Each structure stands twice: as C-alpha cells, then as structure tokens.
Amino acid sequence: MRFTDYYEFSDSITSIIVDSDLSIIPKFLRNSSGRFVYVIGDKVAQDNGFVDRVEEALKKDQENSVVYTYIVDEKTPNKKIVELIYESYRNSGADSIIAVGDNATIDIAKLVKALLSSRTRDLDFLRGVGNAKELVPVSLGVVPTNI
C-alpha cells in the first residue's frame, strides 16, 4: 500500500505559482497574511535551482523572510517525513508554506498543513474524506515543477 493512497483527503491550496512568474510570491503572502515562509522542496527542485529562485523572489520583498527550508530527499512520502516537517514547522515561527517540487512534495506539504489545522498530530486522524478541518489558518502556495 502506498502512503498517498492510504490518506485520502482533500485540502485547499491557496495559490499555484508557476516558475515563470515567481514575482507573485510576495503578493500571495500579503493576500494570505503570511510573512514568515517555510519552504518545502525536493532534491530535484533544489538541484535544478527552483528552490533558490523561490528564495530569491522572497528576499526581493523586504516584508517576507524564509525561516526554514526543508529538502525532501526521498521519492515516496512517508509518515516519518511528514511528522519531522510538522515538528520543524511548529518550531520555526513560520506562518505559511510554499512547496516547490513534484506531486509527492506537494502532498507532503498538504499533509503538514492538515496536521497543523487539526486538533491532533496523529496522521491516522486524517484518514477518510472530510476529517481534516481548517482550525488553524496556514497558507499553502505551490510551485509545481512537473507541469
């Protein structure tokens, strides 16, 4: 059983940002009241410079800052990675997430957002449709690299 099949839930993505127009990232953050960004990227996105370009777009705008960047080094998301990023996010002081990478990286970011929004940090709570309720607003923007 694959991890992504096990957790079947839907969660909203605040904004989809294409690599050709990263200049809209500051506007996305202002619209979502975000200021401190936690970037989740994958190894391929890092190696191809996507993560660096997102961070550069954030640095151009003096109101925003990257508080942490986590690079996922595995091709398949798993419970341990999601829990590790969840704890790291909670300790970072971030108020928004930007996921840079493929579908697996975006799924990880959505799971982290769902955990942050729920009353529990137990991933099993998220199993099934409609169990992830928005309780804590966390903005999620994605820069998909597989379009």
Side-chain angles (χ1 to χ4, degrees):
M1 179 179 314
R2 287 186 0 225
F3 180 76
T4 51
D5 292 336
Y6 188 71
Y7 296 93
E8 298 176 17
F9 72 95
S10 175
D11 192 24
S12 62
I13 293 173
T14 310
S15 184
I16 297 175
I17 304 158
V18 293
D19 182 49
S20 61
D21 193 14
L22 295 178
S23 63
I24 69 165
I25 291 176
K27 182 180 178 185
F28 150 72
L29 291 169
R30 278 191 288 283
N31 289 344
S32 62
S33 300
R35 231 180 121 203
F36 302 103
V37 182
Y38 192 102
V39 177
I40 301 172
D42 61 38
K43 189 93 173 86
V44 173
Q46 181 186 39
D47 291 346
N48 289 315
F50 289 107
V51 174
D52 290 339
R53 289 197 297 275
V54 167
E55 290 177 347
E56 286 168 17
L58 286 163
K59 288 176 185 170
K60 285 181 183 175
D61 186 60
Q62 299 298 319
E63 294 180 31
N64 304 303
S65 61
V66 176
V67 294
Y68 193 80
T69 300
Y70 187 94
I71 301 299
V72 178
D73 200 16
E74 298 183 31
K75 295 185 186 288
T76 305
N78 64 55
K79 191 173 184 177
K80 184 178 178 182
I81 291 172
V82 172
E83 290 172 345
L84 184 76
I85 295 172
Y86 166 80
E87 287 299 327
S88 176
Y89 179 95
R90 286 182 46 103
N91 294 325
S92 71
D95 56 18
S96 55
I97 300 171
I98 294 182
V100 185
D102 61 11
N103 291 338
T105 303
I106 293 167
D107 286 345
I108 289 170
K110 290 192 307 186
L111 281 166
V112 170
K113 179 184 180 217
L115 277 178
L116 291 163
S117 301
S118 69
R119 289 173 232 229
T120 179
R121 59 171 279 189
D122 182 12
L123 277 171
D124 292 332
F125 174 76
L126 299 175
R127 274 196 326 210
V129 178
N131 288 334
K133 306 290 185 203
E134 291 275 346
L135 299 175
V136 178
V138 177
S139 300
L140 171 61
V142 299
V143 180
T145 58
N146 56 350
I147 295 182

